[in-house]
Amino acid sequence: MSRWPLWAVLAPGESARLESRAQAIVMPDWDEEDGEELPFKVIPGSGRYHAIVGTDPGDVGAEMQLAEELSLECDEPVYSIERASDPWIVMSWRNGALEVLDVDPESLATSLGCPLPSREESSDSPANNPLRKVALVEGVRAEDARRVLDEADDPFPPGHYRLEDTPQGLRISSGTGNIGYADITVSERIPHATVYAVIASPDLDEFFVTVRRGGEGIEELAQPPEAFPRLPVVSEIKGERSPERILAALGIPAEWFRNE
């Protein structure tokens, strides 16, 4: 795992068990004999806490699922860190309930004895190349999305999301570039909707689209291609192949990923 981790979970316990539990939560059908790599790595700490880290942009958000599940199995807090966007998002989880923290993630990890890989270890640091996420939802209005996010007790404070009705559908974005699980929550609770979740770098050199219905991913497009895709791979979205034209078809300005 040479790339700089985009997300991390800091959890107490035995490192081998954490790896087994993380695999069961994130990839329950994983089989080592298939040659498929796990989308994360466990970095043992010097004490009770260890770090679970992932580098795949398509897996950003998995840290929340992992932290929530693992927090139900221990008395101590579990922490999730999302480092794909700027600023980074740090959450503390206890018994499945979360709290957004205003702390430095690297200092937190170091204090728990499991420092994260430093940005100097990779030139692929999101500090220089931050990824942003936006979703386009067909068949849903902003007022409906706002209602289901409220019902789901979404972790982000009021006003975090930009919910905009557009000719193409509902656009979900945020000023920080991080929409967490909002796209998945809306997809789960409004199963007839089709969701296009886009994660991209400012120059669009890294460009990922996941298509969901009923909360489940049904296909994905990745540029550059992933070595071990977990969904059926498509070469076009809305009949378009280039990132710029795909964004145009989805009604998402390319400038949004540059935070302009």
Side-chain angles (χ1 to χ4, degrees):
M1 182 175 289
S2 61
R3 293 183 50 177
W4 198 74
L6 298 177
W7 59 264
V9 172
L10 312 178
E14 199 273 323
S15 59
R17 180 183 178 279
L18 287 176
E19 181 174 20
S20 175
R21 288 294 299 126
Q23 177 264 307
I25 293 168
V26 177
M27 297 185 68
D29 299 324
W30 180 75
D31 187 342
E32 185 176 10
E33 294 183 358
D34 292 339
E36 185 176 8
E37 295 182 355
L38 285 170
F40 62 83
K41 177 181 180 181
V42 175
I43 302 177
S46 59
R48 181 160 170 74
Y49 276 81
H50 309 285
I52 306 170
V53 302
T55 62
D56 190 336
D59 292 321
V60 172
E63 75 283 353
M64 296 175 66
Q65 179 186 10
L66 278 172
E68 179 181 8
E69 294 289 337
L70 293 175
S71 74
L72 297 172
E73 304 171 7
C74 61
D75 296 327
E76 298 157 278
V78 176
Y79 301 94
S80 65
I81 300 171
E82 194 265 279
R83 307 202 295 178
S85 58
D86 185 17
W88 299 343
I89 306 296
V90 183
M91 298 181 182
S92 172
W93 299 76
R94 287 181 181 269
N95 296 319
L98 66 87
E99 177 186 0
V100 178
L101 303 180
D102 184 16
V103 298
D104 176 68
E106 293 179 323
S107 298
L108 172 65
T110 299
S111 72
L112 295 173
C114 48
L116 302 174
S118 67
R119 66 189 63 180
E120 287 76 14
E121 294 177 19
S122 171
S123 60
D124 218 3
S125 166
N128 299 319
N129 199 33
L131 298 173
R132 295 171 66 85
K133 180 179 180 181
V134 63
L136 188 283
V137 187
E138 295 178 333
V140 176
R141 302 283 296 176
E143 60 187 58
D144 299 320
R146 189 172 291 107
R147 173 179 52 79
V148 299
L149 289 171
D150 289 342
E151 291 174 351
D153 195 23
D154 186 83
F156 291 111
H160 176 85
Y161 299 115
R162 297 172 181 169
L163 303 177
E164 304 169 88
D165 291 317
T166 75
Q168 290 82 4
L170 168 67
R171 186 165 60 225
I172 305 176
S173 61
S174 81
T176 68
N178 177 36
I179 64 171
Y181 268 148
D183 57 314
I184 299 176
T185 299
V186 171
S187 180
E188 289 175 339
R189 294 182 174 241
I190 309 179
H192 69 266
T194 300
V195 179
Y196 299 87
V198 181
I199 297 176
S201 60
D203 55 11
L204 304 183
D205 283 352
E206 293 186 86
F207 188 80
F208 307 85
V209 183
T210 301
V211 185
R212 291 190 177 90
R213 291 194 189 98
E216 299 293 331
I218 59 174
E219 60 189 24
E220 66 179 31
L221 177 147
Q223 298 181 9
E226 295 181 306
F228 299 98
R230 284 172 291 152
L231 294 173
V233 176
V234 296
S235 59
E236 60 183 41
I237 298 290
K238 297 283 189 181
E240 303 293 352
R241 294 175 178 269
S242 72
E244 292 83 359
R245 293 187 65 85
I246 291 172
L247 291 176
L250 295 175
I252 300 172
E255 291 76 15
W256 188 89
F257 292 95
R258 304 184 183 106
N259 196 25
E260 294 179 356

